DNA sequence: TCCTTTTTGATGGAAACCTCATTATGTACG
DNA sequence: CGTACATAATGAGGTTTCCATCAAAAAGGA
């Protein structure tokens, strides 16, 4: 909580920001009287603030709403289309890029396919193509982007360096920031993909507004991410949610239960899980047993996190969350004996878009911090530039 | 980050708070020129603000510092003695009460002894006596307290109710808030004792300024508490750090290693640990083995938290931290094989005072939030009253 | 004694806010 | 169709707060 104060212009700036925030959060046009109520300012001052913001292009006037007593009031809306951010998901099998407006609404996206073996340069190239496709679809250029955030597999430290990654052979140490900086002048953030998925679920998804949650990435490479006190939790070096590395949790071997199930016999390892979940859905006893054994192991590591953090909600995400209908009940039952209070378990709903949307949320958060800080001027809406290193 | 804005008086209020904070954080008298630099205000405005604050009693003028070029500057200090808060630690064997000034410096304290079997009413009475002793020692009355925070064993929920406690038979459900409210008109906060110890270590102790830390309570009743993103973490229902409840951590039985050690033969269970640690210190092989076995078990649950949270520091607190000299190395070694990155492990230094000081910190935080919020007026410094329930 | 350095105090001016009275522009109703 | 009512916009006058600037004051050193 930074108390700043300042001069009269700073006060006006704060009041302008207050108005913008009110308009943005209301998600509908507001009248001057409503704005005055929201901000606590007098009517006259709100008029000043609003005409100023309108001249600068932050807000726009809309038709007065018909049918009401008294003289119809002017109404204003936040111009969410004044700027855009870019979210990127660099996955193992695909790269997604999505452009959203300042409200976080997706306006365009691009996609390219890669494989686990794709070498670094080609993966970066795939990222470039996905970005370009999204930009073209949105009809925007790269210097119109206000911010970018990219999600990647692996451990991402505070400087955005990927320090550890198992799934991709030559991906660790990739200078993602540098690579993006060459093509985009705006601020850049890199984060772990599960953390972004968790953020998306907490902002837009099944855990909207939840203060404390554990996001479980259930899939071929299990993982977890945390939202604590309402904010994404990064830890000291970014290596959070790695409880599955402990032998006693069984996370390293739990997919064996699925892959060695008769229902998956002969199929390639990456299809095994889906086949077993499908068989379990139709009642196959061996498949059900395999799912239960998997859930038992998953519950061990989950219980360790739940007992440590006492979250309100556990979000079940990752590829296996598509099979939440057969996985949820066994997981809940396996969790119960370990926990003091069993948190609500909700299957993820955002699906494949989860990480890109989370990335866009993070980029929006970043520019929010910039604009709402004392230094971040409330200039006419233009794409912020990265501060040039001194 | 709440953007508030407001009218001109609010601006003045913000600037006043900014000045108060600068004076408080500097921990030394500042000149008007220094204050102007800190707050970014012009000199003339600072004069206004300062004379205003001085009239209201928030700051005081001190002797100009001699020996310097030019005309000697007036200097002002924050009047930390303008108000006081009360911290209480309701332990199993003792009740502590400490009164600190607005800088968190202890000015007086009181102490009473209790035993695990002491029934609720007598324990509350012991608390009253400790409080009264502290008040008398400080020469203050209960209505001069600006805030109280009490730490208790057991799980404390958001409303301050003790929902679960193992160590004290009839303590769960105690209406601590109600009890304190009958004797103190100021805001009241209740929190779990380990969480307060962690807070104290992060504010005043061995982990000052650390953003993410795990506080290990190593003692006869093991536990843990978390500071995450620089703030105490409470969880949804307050039951955090309970990873020791899982069988696989071995936390429920790990003290058996110490109690069954020959070095502790014949001694009562509560002295066993100290004897074993003492024997280990002199090189007794059986005692060393017992300590190592204990450390192995302690490391399991700790590793689960470290892998989940990736903290910068683990603080070793609780009764056994007095024996950190023999416990630290085995714990560090036992932790290493499980962790991606072994956090720094630091033994607690605040000792018995830990919880009371943490309680005082929490009470200070609470009034900070009150005064620095738009509503909390910057009236002349007087004890805030609890809002009367409507 | 004079000069340099730094703080202090005073004045004028501008920005931003508030209040209150007046005017404008709709709907409702006789 | 005209009047009453309700709400919104506008404008005048006043207050608070801040800034910039400049002369005066208070020390130490030459």
């Amino acid at each position: 909580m930074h108390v700043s104060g300042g001069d009269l212009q700073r006060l006006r700036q704060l009041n302008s920001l207050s108005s913008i925030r009110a308009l943005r959060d209301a998600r509908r046009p507001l009248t001057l009287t409503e704005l005055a109520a929201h901000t606590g300012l007098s009517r006259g001052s709100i008029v000043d603030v609003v005409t100023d913001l309108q001249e600068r292009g932050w807000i726009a006037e809309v038709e007065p709403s018909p049918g009401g007593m008294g003289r119809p009031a002017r109404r204003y809306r936040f111009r969410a289309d004044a700027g855009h951010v870019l979210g990127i998901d660099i996955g193992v099998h695909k790269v997604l890029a999505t452009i959203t407006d300042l409200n976080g609404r997706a306006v365009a996206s691009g996609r390219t396919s890669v494989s686990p073996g794709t070498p670094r340069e080609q993966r970066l190239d795939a990222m470039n193509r996905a970005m370009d496709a999204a930009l073209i679809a949105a009809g925007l250029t790269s210097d119109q982007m206000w911010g970018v955030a990219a999600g990647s597999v692996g451990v991402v430290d505070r400087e955005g360096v990927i320090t550890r990654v198992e799934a991709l052979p030559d991906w660790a140490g990739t200078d993602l920031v540098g690579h993006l900086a060459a093509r985009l002048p705006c601020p850049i953030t890199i984060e772990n993909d599960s953390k972004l998925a968790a953020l998306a679920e907490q902002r837009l998804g099944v855990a909207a507004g939840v203060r404390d949650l554990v996001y479980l990435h259930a899939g071929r490479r299990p993982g977890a991410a945390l939202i604590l006190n309402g904010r994404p939790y990064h830890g000291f070096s970014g290596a959070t949610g790695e409880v599955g590395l402990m032998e006693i949790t069984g996370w390293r071997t739990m997919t064996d239960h699925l892959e060695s199930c008769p229902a998956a016999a002969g199929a390639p390892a990456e299809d095994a899980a889906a086949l077993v979940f499908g068989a379990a859905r139709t009642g196959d006893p061996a498949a059900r047993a395999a799912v239960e054994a998997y859930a038992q192991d998953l519950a061990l590591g989950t219980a360790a996190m739940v007992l440590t953090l006492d979250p309100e909600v556990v979000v079940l995400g990752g590829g296996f969350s598509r099979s939440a209908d057969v996985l949820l009940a066994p997981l809940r039952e396996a969790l119960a004996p370990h926990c003091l209070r069993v948190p609500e378990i909700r299957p993820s709903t955002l699906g494949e878009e989860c990480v890109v949307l989370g990335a866009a949320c993070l980029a929006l958060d970043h520019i929010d911090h910039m604009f709402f800080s004392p230094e971040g001027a409330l200039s006419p809406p233009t794409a912020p530039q990265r501060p040039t290193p001194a």
Side-chain angles (χ1 to χ4, degrees), chain A:
Chain A
M1 189 188 43
H2 253 209
V3 176
S4 42
D7 58 9
L8 292 162
Q9 275 144 51
R10 169 68 177 156
L11 183 62
R12 163 58 70 94
Q13 197 187 30
L14 285 173
N15 285 331
S16 300
L17 289 167
S18 202
S19 304
I20 288 184
R21 173 154 289 186
L23 283 174
R24 202 181 54 180
D25 293 352
R27 296 194 155 270
R28 66 182 177 85
L30 296 180
T31 67
L32 293 175
T33 320
E34 287 171 319
L35 265 176
H38 268 95
T39 56
L41 294 189
S42 78
R43 211 207 141 67
S45 303
I46 278 292
V47 172
D48 274 8
V49 167
V50 158
T51 50
D52 187 47
L53 286 173
Q54 191 177 6
E55 271 169 25
R56 295 178 188 236
W58 282 96
I59 65 177
E61 194 170 347
V62 300
E63 292 281 288
S65 80
M69 294 290 270
R71 177 172 173 173
R74 287 176 170 176
R75 296 191 307 161
Y76 296 88
R77 67 171 176 86
F78 174 59
R79 284 191 54 192
D81 58 323
H84 296 85
V85 297
L86 175 62
I88 303 176
D89 169 15
I90 307 166
V92 175
H93 296 282
K94 61 175 195 302
V95 178
L96 290 178
T98 290
I99 292 172
T100 77
D101 64 17
L102 294 181
N103 275 341
R105 216 170 45 91
V107 297
S109 51
R111 177 192 175 116
T112 52
S113 290
V114 287
S115 75
T118 307
R120 180 194 288 186
E121 285 308 319
Q122 289 180 35
R123 192 174 297 272
L124 290 172
D125 191 55
M127 183 179 82
N128 286 345
R129 293 200 311 276
M131 264 170 51
D132 290 340
L135 283 168
I136 287 168
L140 294 168
T141 60
S142 58
D143 52 348
Q144 288 178 291
M145 291 295 103
W146 285 25
V148 202
S152 160
V153 285
V155 174
V156 179
D157 73 10
R158 283 204 190 282
E159 277 73 48
V161 178
I162 295 151
T163 52
R164 219 183 75 93
V165 58
E166 283 185 349
L168 302 175
D170 64 351
W171 190 242
T174 304
D175 182 19
L176 213 53
V177 176
H179 187 86
L180 286 167
R183 312 193 73 237
L184 294 153
C186 58
I188 297 165
T189 320
I190 317 290
E191 187 49 284
N192 165 270
D193 55 355
S194 287
K195 291 188 176 69
L196 294 180
L199 183 61
E201 292 291 354
Q202 193 245 356
R203 293 289 167 79
L204 316 163
V206 80
V210 170
R211 193 177 161 85
D212 305 310
L213 71 89
V214 168
Y215 177 88
L216 272 186
H217 183 96
R220 293 199 61 213
R221 275 169 305 278
L226 311 170
I227 306 275
L228 305 175
N229 281 333
R231 295 163 47 187
Y233 178 72
H234 190 274
F236 182 65
S237 67
T240 68
E242 301 282 9
V243 72
L245 291 178
M246 285 186 88
E247 291 294 336
I248 51 174
T249 62
W251 277 27
R252 311 193 90 151
T253 56
M254 62 186 169
T255 49
D256 296 352
H257 294 300
L258 304 176
E259 286 166 17
S260 64
C261 176
E270 61 228 51
D271 301 335
L275 288 171
V276 177
F277 286 125
R281 195 171 289 120
T282 63
D284 177 349
R288 293 189 91 98
V291 171
E292 254 172 58
Y294 172 81
Q296 287 285 347
D297 280 354
L298 184 61
L300 270 185
T302 308
M305 293 190 285
V306 167
L307 283 168
T308 300
L309 295 167
D310 184 29
E312 182 177 355
V313 170
V314 171
V315 175
L316 181 64
F320 296 178
S321 68
R322 275 192 294 269
S323 308
D325 56 327
V326 286
L327 181 53
L328 209 61
L331 177 61
R332 191 179 288 123
E333 275 171 39
L335 205 52
H338 297 296
C339 297
L340 272 178
R341 183 186 61 81
V342 185
E344 212 180 317
I345 307 179
R346 303 182 191 165
S348 161
T349 51
L350 296 175
E352 233 193 16
E353 310 275 288
C354 212
V355 177
V356 243
L357 291 177
C361 287
L362 194 64
L364 283 172
D365 277 12
H366 188 88
I367 58 172
D368 240 44
H369 274 114
M370 289 184 51
F371 281 117
F372 284 62
S373 74
E375 300 77 30
L378 196 63
S379 42
T382 49
Q385 307 290 299
R386 275 190 306 281
T388 47

